[in-house]
Amino acid sequence: MRKTFEMVQIAVIGALTGAFIGGIVLQGGMDGALWGGSALAAILAALVWPLLDRPTALMRAKYGAAAFLPGMLVGGSQWLSIGVVGAAVGGAASSVLAAFFVSRLIMRHEEQGRYIRTRFHYVWLFSGGSLATFFALNALFVAERAAPWQTWARSIPMAVQSSIVLAFVLLGYMICIGWKKRKTETWRQARSAARRAGGALLVGGLLLIAAASMFHYDFLSVHDAARFVGPLLSYALGWILPCAVGFLFAANRHRPVLGSVLVMIGAIFVLIVGISVFPMLLLPGSGLMWAGLVTGLVMIVLAILSMIKPQSHVTIGSFLILASILSFVGAAGGLIIGGSSGF
């Protein structure tokens, strides 16, 4: 059973990665995607078989396979503009980094009880990392060109820019103190425990101020800096966001985190449908259309309450089921996905 599960998991990653390579990178269309997906799935499955008795090598192979597509997205992105060669180099570099660094880092946190791996850990890292990297690349690319950042950097006084950065540093330090207070008895102990995080935030703030001064005095162009920072930040988000789930589960072992997250995702679909019919809410006989907005907000509030008060999860869960049923009235159950997620 274990061998079958390992083979299926790595084959799914290989099939999706191969389909992307054959259909998009090599521009083979649907036929290229089918051939590429089938070939890479078979190759990875064949490589896994002799590694089943070598857990460390198998783990590195799975991390490497999961990280190949996010690296390809970064290497072949419009930020770098180096095409297929960049995609190949980016994918290879990402696989090596994941196999020998990220795997060791996650294992260390797992041994210390600060990370929980789910059964579909590698498929989740692959899918979550690829989607997060893709959306981050495009969002940052659009944002960099949507506003005159260089003009703003020149026009805003450096004193104002420095004050804004330091205010965010102070806010982050206060959040760290509040987080540490959960495990300490006094605020003094919390401040002492958050000292390292505060130092890291201060260093980061000083680096941002230094970068802002370079933009302000025209020593560096925002566009040139974005070509370097954009891909790196997108790749970092591609690891941080999916890995955050494992840390979230570990920090809330006795809280219904997964259920609450699914409910929030469903509530977003319900709200989207509710907002889409908003122009018709003032028409005669449209009273039931308010159900989408109201039900979506109620689902979000109940999901948050279930994490804050886990001892009341049975009662809150009952109200969540009722709200999910009501979401089908006036909001079509959030395209059915929202209402189904609430169950």
Side-chain angles (χ1 to χ4, degrees):
M1 185 64 182
R2 172 178 168 270
K3 293 182 178 181
T4 303
F5 181 76
E6 299 288 355
M7 297 279 286
V8 169
Q9 192 165 197
I10 200 73
V12 169
I13 295 173
L16 294 176
T17 304
F20 179 83
I21 295 173
I24 297 178
V25 177
L26 301 181
Q27 300 179 354
M30 183 61 68
D31 292 337
L34 290 174
W35 281 105
S38 302
L40 191 56
I43 292 172
L44 290 180
L47 290 176
V48 166
W49 185 263
L51 298 177
L52 289 175
D53 297 326
R54 301 171 58 188
T56 301
L58 177 61
M59 178 190 66
R60 289 178 175 172
K62 289 187 289 187
Y63 272 107
F68 191 79
L69 183 54
M72 286 187 63
L73 293 173
V74 172
S77 66
Q78 49 195 345
W79 286 100
L80 302 179
S81 302
I82 49 181
V84 177
V85 176
V89 173
S94 178
S95 294
V96 173
L97 179 66
F100 294 96
F101 176 73
V102 177
S103 61
R104 189 179 304 171
L105 185 65
I106 290 179
M107 183 182 298
R108 186 183 306 129
H109 283 287
E110 188 177 18
E111 292 172 351
Q112 296 172 353
R114 294 184 296 195
Y115 191 91
I116 292 178
R117 283 195 295 178
T118 62
R119 186 170 178 82
F120 297 95
H121 173 69
Y122 302 100
V123 173
W124 166 243
L125 286 183
F126 166 78
S127 57
S130 300
L131 291 174
T133 303
F134 174 78
F135 285 115
L137 283 168
N138 288 276
L140 291 174
F141 187 80
V142 171
E144 191 270 330
R145 284 159 173 75
W149 301 106
Q150 191 72 42
T151 303
W152 292 352
R154 294 172 187 161
S155 61
I156 300 175
M158 272 307 303
V160 176
Q161 297 186 43
S162 301
S163 299
I164 293 173
V165 172
L166 292 177
F168 276 104
V169 169
L170 180 60
L171 177 62
Y173 181 55
M174 298 302 296
I175 292 174
C176 290
I177 292 176
W179 181 264
K180 296 294 184 181
K181 181 62 175 65
R182 303 189 316 158
K183 299 181 180 180
T184 57
E185 296 181 358
T186 64
W187 286 104
R188 179 177 295 179
Q189 293 175 339
R191 288 195 300 271
S192 178
R195 187 176 301 167
R196 180 179 299 178
L201 286 171
L202 181 60
V203 171
L206 293 176
L207 290 176
L208 283 177
I209 292 174
S213 64
M214 295 180 71
F215 298 142
H216 183 76
Y217 297 111
D218 286 333
F219 290 113
L220 181 64
S221 167
V222 173
H223 177 70
D224 293 337
R227 286 176 60 98
F228 175 75
V229 176
L232 288 180
L233 183 58
S234 301
Y235 184 72
L237 288 174
W239 278 109
I240 292 172
L241 294 181
C243 287
V245 175
F247 289 104
L248 184 65
F249 284 162
N252 301 273
R253 294 176 184 271
H254 304 293
R255 299 175 189 270
V257 177
L258 181 59
S260 299
V261 171
L262 290 176
V263 169
M264 289 183 187
I265 294 174
I268 291 173
F269 281 94
V270 174
L271 284 174
I272 289 173
V273 176
I275 293 172
S276 66
V277 300
F278 186 79
M280 297 183 288
L281 293 179
L282 300 179
L283 298 177
S286 61
L288 290 178
M289 292 184 181
W290 288 97
L293 295 174
V294 175
T295 307
L297 292 174
V298 169
M299 290 173 67
I300 291 177
V301 171
L302 291 175
I304 295 173
L305 283 176
S306 67
M307 286 193 289
I308 296 175
K309 297 289 185 181
Q311 62 272 20
S312 305
H313 69 278
V314 175
T315 303
I316 296 174
S318 302
F319 284 110
L320 272 172
I321 293 175
L322 178 61
S324 300
I325 295 173
L326 292 176
S327 69
F328 287 90
V329 180
L335 303 176
I336 303 178
I337 299 174
S340 302
S341 299
F343 294 120

